[in-house]
Amino acid sequence: MISPRHLAVFAIAALCSTACATYQDDLQRGIKYYDGNEHERALAVLRSLEPDMDSLKPEDRVRYYYYRGMTDYRLANDTFKVRPDARHWLGLAHAGEKDT
């Protein structure tokens, strides 16, 4: 039987291992899904990263904008009504590219 103390240590270790993933790793994972034509997964990862975009370096933020826009563009259909979102993100990518 596992003692409560060992269980607590295990829980803390598990939390720390998941917290060690950086925002840049999440961006890379989203890009990997996009490149593998797994657009729904890419969108899920990129959307989860959205609240923490300001933690990305400016050049990574532009990459985020581009891949988020292209993912929305690829998914735009009657089920996913995200074409205006795609234009928004791609516009941000274009503007950010000029700045970086």
Side-chain angles (χ1 to χ4, degrees):
M1 183 170 178
I2 298 174
S3 71
R5 182 176 180 180
H6 286 109
L7 188 58
V9 169
F10 177 73
I12 291 171
L15 285 174
C16 287
S17 68
T18 58
C20 291
T22 65
Y23 301 122
Q24 204 168 22
D25 292 338
D26 290 340
L27 177 60
Q28 281 304 118
R29 192 164 26 114
I31 291 171
K32 180 181 164 196
Y33 286 139
Y34 176 85
D35 290 342
N37 290 323
E38 298 182 64
H39 299 115
E40 290 180 24
R41 284 185 174 188
L43 184 60
V45 171
L46 294 171
R47 280 185 174 171
S48 72
L49 186 56
E50 188 174 341
D52 301 307
M53 272 190 319
D54 58 340
S55 298
L56 293 171
K57 293 184 266 182
E59 58 272 11
D60 287 334
R61 205 171 304 137
V62 172
R63 290 177 63 218
Y64 172 88
Y65 297 151
Y66 173 77
Y67 280 97
R68 176 65 191 273
M70 288 305 297
T71 301
D72 285 346
Y73 177 78
R74 299 268 184 206
L75 288 173
N77 59 31
D78 291 338
T79 304
F80 294 101
K81 299 183 186 303
V82 291
R83 190 159 307 259
D85 294 338
R87 288 188 191 112
H88 167 77
W89 292 112
L90 291 171
L92 288 174
H94 181 70
E97 185 180 34
K98 289 179 181 178
D99 292 341
T100 54

